[in-house]
Amino acid sequence: MASDDHGSMESTEGAASPAGKAAPAAPAERHAGWNELFFDLVVVAGAGQLAHLLHDGPHLADLALFGVLYLAFWTTWAGFAVYGDIAASATRVRTLLIAMFGMAVMAASVHAVLTSHAVAFVIAYVALRWRAGRVWQRGSIVVDWPLAQFGSGAVPWLVSLFVETPLRYWLWALGIALDIVTLLVSTRARTLRHATERAARRSDGRPPRGPAHSSVAEPPRLSESRIDAAHMGERLGLYVIIVLGEGVIQIIDAASTRDDWDRPLAATGLGAFGLLAAICTLSLLYGTNGIPHLRKDTLAPRLAMLLHAVMTGFLVALATALGSAITHVDDVLPRGQHWLLCGAMAGYFAAGLVAALPLADRSDRVWVLGWAAPSVAVSVALAPLGVRLPAWATIWILVALVCWQIAYDPGARGRRKRRTGRRARIA
């Protein structure tokens, strides 16, 4: 077991051993199973319903509500995705179906979550968080996903059932904040230490399980469960594709309601599709886990998944803004939707910057900032300065920024430097 906080799983090479015997073959690479793919269908519905929260305005309150509900939805999905990743062939289909039904209830509750459906959303969320912690056998510690052991983030949601608004919404935000802090601070060593302490407290007062002549109880036995990095990376990448698919749906729905298909619509629609295609390329071909410029083993699994949650939240917001852009091709975008479009892309670029910085050594970080920071800066500046631009012009500027990042991939630069260094050593 690796002693660091990363979830990488080293594969064994098929080279001969010193004794002349062939080493064990590397384990076959896992791919998402049919039950996992079926489970991920609920993400399609969830992303679509959550995107509706941003259609009107959006105002700061709408953005805050979207962020809290989206992270609650994503956290629930991630808990069962981790379960399927670690359990592998032992995954219980019944468990995934229960989780899928509960998440469907959460998605269906979003539309009226401020009024009649708040209780349904909270009950489904709390029940699924409890269920996600119960699927693990006693003594099994999921070190790469601390929320499997620490369910304190669900407590404020449960308390919110007994209070009125607006305190209810502040409790929801508190629950999400507790989960984020848990993911940030719960390292592998800390998770194991806390689990050992809890197991020791539970065993206090019990009769010793050792030999009859021994008066000392056996220490609790805990086993570590680790994420299969390659398989989980595929699940996270598929999630990104699903979210980008919501953008395609928004574009097609908006275009289908227009009677006149003219040049502005063509320019806007082509730019919107191009933006989604460029994001797909940057995230999946120039990154890991669907996160642009993230390389293997540069972030602990729990941190990479947290970054994935934030990034995909921005992509759901982007889908809403692109649908609005198609609706307003004959005029400038409403100010709120224009800011949403630029802000979503700024957040996406910022996630890539956070992922790229651990890749670079100290001498390269200035270069990375010079490559990535302009995309964030231009997106932010475009929000106030480009508010009078037609929608198609704003979108094509954003397409150019994504293409800039594809063309100047820091990983490629690092690979070229390593190849140059190897040639120099050989010479």
Side-chain angles (χ1 to χ4, degrees):
M1 185 63 64
S3 59
D4 60 6
D5 196 37
H6 297 296
S8 59
M9 299 186 65
E10 301 293 339
S11 60
T12 57
E13 300 292 339
S17 65
K21 298 181 180 179
E29 183 178 353
R30 283 179 58 199
H31 293 285
W34 294 116
N35 54 351
E36 293 173 310
L37 295 175
F38 182 69
F39 172 71
D40 287 348
L41 286 177
V42 75
V43 176
V44 180
Q49 292 298 315
L50 289 162
H52 288 310
L53 294 175
L54 303 176
H55 279 183
D56 298 330
H59 304 290
L60 288 178
D62 299 323
L63 292 171
L65 179 65
F66 167 79
V68 169
L69 296 185
Y70 177 77
L71 289 176
F73 188 85
W74 184 93
T75 301
T76 304
W77 173 86
F80 289 96
V82 169
Y83 162 67
D85 175 83
I86 295 176
S89 60
T91 301
R92 296 181 179 180
V93 176
R94 181 182 63 181
T95 298
L96 294 184
L97 292 178
I98 292 173
M100 191 175 183
F101 178 79
M103 293 183 68
V105 171
M106 292 173 64
S109 304
V110 167
H111 180 69
V113 74
L114 295 179
T115 54
S116 57
H117 293 164
V119 173
F121 186 96
V122 172
I123 290 177
Y125 174 66
V126 172
L128 290 179
R129 284 294 300 271
W130 174 82
R131 181 64 181 172
R134 296 286 295 177
V135 296
W136 305 101
Q137 296 180 354
R138 175 170 293 186
S140 177
I141 308 303
V142 187
V143 294
D144 292 329
W145 185 245
L147 298 186
Q149 289 80 224
F150 302 104
S152 57
V155 174
W157 290 80
L158 184 61
V159 175
S160 73
L161 293 174
F162 307 99
V163 302
E164 300 295 331
T165 59
L167 180 57
R168 170 181 295 172
Y169 308 134
W170 286 106
L171 287 172
W172 294 358
L174 175 61
I176 295 299
L178 289 175
D179 284 341
I180 292 175
V181 171
T182 299
L183 291 175
L184 289 175
V185 305
S186 296
T187 63
R188 170 181 173 271
R190 187 172 299 167
T191 299
L192 287 174
R193 183 174 68 253
H194 288 172
T196 302
E197 292 172 354
R198 289 197 306 272
R201 286 195 297 268
R202 286 196 301 265
S203 64
D204 287 346
R206 296 179 183 178
R209 294 187 300 169
H213 61 275
S214 174
S215 61
V216 180
E218 293 183 358
R221 296 180 180 179
L222 302 177
S223 62
E224 295 184 40
S225 296
R226 306 299 299 266
I227 287 175
D228 183 333
H231 175 261
M232 195 64 197
E234 183 183 67
R235 295 291 306 280
L236 295 173
L238 290 172
Y239 189 105
V240 171
I241 292 177
I242 291 172
V243 171
L244 293 177
E246 176 58 27
V248 175
I249 293 172
Q250 295 279 349
I251 294 169
I252 294 174
D253 282 349
S256 66
T257 61
R258 294 184 57 87
D259 295 328
D260 52 333
W261 286 10
D262 50 14
R263 289 183 180 180
L265 176 62
T268 307
L270 183 60
F273 275 112
L275 182 60
L276 294 177
I279 290 174
C280 183
T281 301
L282 183 62
S283 295
L284 300 180
L285 300 185
Y286 292 86
T288 303
N289 299 342
I291 303 172
H293 305 303
L294 178 65
R295 296 294 181 259
K296 290 179 62 177
D297 303 333
T298 56
L299 284 178
R302 72 184 195 284
L303 298 180
M305 292 180 70
L306 178 59
L307 186 59
H308 179 276
V310 175
M311 183 203 70
T312 52
F314 283 117
L315 292 181
V316 174
L318 175 66
T320 303
L322 290 178
S324 181
I326 299 297
T327 304
H328 296 87
V329 293
D330 297 324
D331 196 1
V332 296
L333 269 173
R335 183 180 296 270
Q337 291 296 335
H338 173 80
W339 278 75
L340 182 64
L341 175 61
C342 298
M345 287 304 300
Y348 172 77
F349 288 134
L353 175 59
V354 171
L357 281 177
L359 174 67
D361 55 29
R362 182 173 300 177
S363 62
D364 280 348
R365 284 180 181 172
V366 174
W367 185 87
V368 168
L369 287 173
W371 150 81
S375 297
V376 179
V378 172
S379 300
V380 172
L382 192 60
L385 299 180
V387 71
R388 295 189 178 278
L389 288 175
W392 64 265
T394 302
I395 290 175
W396 279 105
I397 292 173
L398 297 174
V399 171
L401 293 177
V402 181
C403 291
W404 159 268
Q405 294 215 356
I406 293 173
Y408 291 90
D409 173 36
R413 182 175 183 266
R415 289 189 294 272
R416 288 194 297 269
K417 288 180 61 177
R418 288 194 294 272
R419 287 197 295 267
T420 302
R422 285 196 295 268
R423 294 193 192 101
R425 287 194 298 271
I426 293 173

